[in-house]
């Protein structure tokens, strides 16, 4: 049975499920987010963790990287689990995080050779993934301290995060003023609104890098999760994970998630594309394209717990990364070691390497324009 969020809350209360430590808002119209010190960076900057709750969803966000440090949702019996991979300490985020929970900018995923040409001028970016630039370069938005302002608006609660990236930072032209709003709605949806402006022509592709495990972080691989993606095509890549430019049909390949099936079903198929990224690590070309309003594009479900996440977005692409590079060398939030496939990312985005692919939807942002995108995660069980 699919319970809606209101039923769940009542069920949780009836089952005596307790609120998170530190108290929490109940039901609709949650109260103001609560701030606590999470750690201090080497230069003395204090990093805070904000806790918010609404409609049965609990979120903990760091001012460092805008990182989702914890995302708790109930199962079909009202039992909560943290469904996002992460760490318990700031030090781990600073020194060894593979972008756990982080905001990604200025450019989600890879730009080939870390180089692009715009209006006749070539820009060399920070290269941090062999010869390529990944997730904004060596010091991307995931490693910046964001200004965070809490808000309540009607029945919504949330955080407004802002970061201004200087002209030339990581090689990108233009001062990029970035605002990201995390909202928890009364029905427990987690909504992300991205906004950016520039004072010189530049490129911009912002996303969120949460690793989901709907059975709970640290509980083992996600291969039994069921996934559907509303995409008939994907962008094949070269051995460096840079798109070849082709939009290939998913039909008859391990990339066909048009109907829900388990993440692990084809993960060991000897398809040449799976060898490049040691599993699934590709951009799906969403059938709906760029839209003015978020439209449903993917559903992830853990059959054992019933936890289900639906994703809607305005973006034209989805990077589905099956946690292939987790290698058992990191100890997560709950004290368990993360191994390959223990979490997966579903990153709404424009396509990788778009600045070098005129046929892909454009990521160019010019003075006077506002970059806007929205992604909504809805939970049920
Ligand atoms: C990329 C992977 C990369 C990972 C970093 C994903 O978005 O698609 O190739 O290894 O981020 O943790």
């Amino acid at each position: 049975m699919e319970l809606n969020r209101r039923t769940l809350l009542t069920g949780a209360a009836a089952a005596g499920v307790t609120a998170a430590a530190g108290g929490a808002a109940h039901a609709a119209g949650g109260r103001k987010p609560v701030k606590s010190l999470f750690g201090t960076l080497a230069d003395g900057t204090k990093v805070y963790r904000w806790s918010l709750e609404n409609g049965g969803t609990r979120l903990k966000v760091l001012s460092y990287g805008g990182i989702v440090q914890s995302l708790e949702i109930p199962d079909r019996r009202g039992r909560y689990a943290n469904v996002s991979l992460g760490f318990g300490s700031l030090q781990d985020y600073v020194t060894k995080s593979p972008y756990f929970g982080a905001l990604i900018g200025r450019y989600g995923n890879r730009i080939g050779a870390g180089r692009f040409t715009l209006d006749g001028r070539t820009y060399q970016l920070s290269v941090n993934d062999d010869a390529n630039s990944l997730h904004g370069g060596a010091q991307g938005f995931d490693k910046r301290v964001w200004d965070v302002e809490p808000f309540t608006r009607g029945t919504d609660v949330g955080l407004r995060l802002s970061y201004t990236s200087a002209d030339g930072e990581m090689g990108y032209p233009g001062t990029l003023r970035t605002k990201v709003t995390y909202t928890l709605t009364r029905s427990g949806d987690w909504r992300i609104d991205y906004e950016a402006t520039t004072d010189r022509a530049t490129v911009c592709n912002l996303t969120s890098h949460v690793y989901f495990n709907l059975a709970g972080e640290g509980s083992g691989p996600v291969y039994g999760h069921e996934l559907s993606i509303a995409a008939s095509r994907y962008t094949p890549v070269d051995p460096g994970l840079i798109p070849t430019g082709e939009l290939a049909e998913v039909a008859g390949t391990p990339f066909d998630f048009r109907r829900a099936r388990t993440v692990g079903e084809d993960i060991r198929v000897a398809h040449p594309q799976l060898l490049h990224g040691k599993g699934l690590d590709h951009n799906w070309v969403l059938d709906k394209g760029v839209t003015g309003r978020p439209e449903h594009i993917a559903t992830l479900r853990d059959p054992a717990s019933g936890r289900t996440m639906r994703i809607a977005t305005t973006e034209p692409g989805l990077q589905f990364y099956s946690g292939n590079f987790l290698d058992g060398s990191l100890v997560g939030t709950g004290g368990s070691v993360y191994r390959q496939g223990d979490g997966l990312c579903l990153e709404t985005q424009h396509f990788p390497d778009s600045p070098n692919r005129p046929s892909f939807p454009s990521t160019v942002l010019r003075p006077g324009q506002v970059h806007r995108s929205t992604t909504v995660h809805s939970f049920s069980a």
Side-chain angles (χ1 to χ4, degrees), residues 14 16 44 55 63 93 96 154 163 177 188 215 232 236 262 266 279 299 307 313 316 329 344 353 367 370 372:
S63 51
Y93 281 109
K96 49 179 131 174
Y163 173 69
R177 293 182 195 282
S232 312
T262 60
D266 277 349
T299 301
R307 292 192 190 94
T313 189
S329 64
L344 62 84
D353 203 31
V370 182
R372 278 199 183 91

Side-chain angles (χ1 to χ4, degrees), residues 247-318:
L247 306 185
E249 299 288 330
V250 298
T253 76
F255 298 88
D256 192 351
F257 284 90
R258 290 174 296 174
R259 287 208 189 137
R261 60 194 186 96
T262 60
V263 167
E265 191 175 320
D266 277 349
I267 204 122
R268 287 184 172 78
V269 169
H271 188 288
Q273 281 293 316
L274 292 190
L275 297 175
H276 292 330
K278 295 190 161 60
L280 295 159
D281 189 0
H282 292 76
N283 169 68
W284 269 252
V285 178
L286 300 172
D287 289 339
K288 71 171 188 71
V290 181
T291 44
R293 288 173 184 275
E295 291 185 15
H296 172 253
I297 51 107
T299 301
L300 182 68
R301 178 170 176 271
D302 169 37
S305 66
R307 292 192 190 94
T308 302
M309 176 175 72
R310 288 168 58 83
I311 301 180
T313 189
T314 55
E315 287 296 287
L318 181 74

Side-chain angles (χ1 to χ4, degrees), residues 71-75 79-84 213-217 307:
L71 168 64
E72 290 180 76
I73 54 169
D75 69 6
R79 290 174 304 194
Y80 277 82
N82 175 11
V83 297
S84 85
N213 183 330
L214 297 183
E217 64 81 28
R307 292 192 190 94

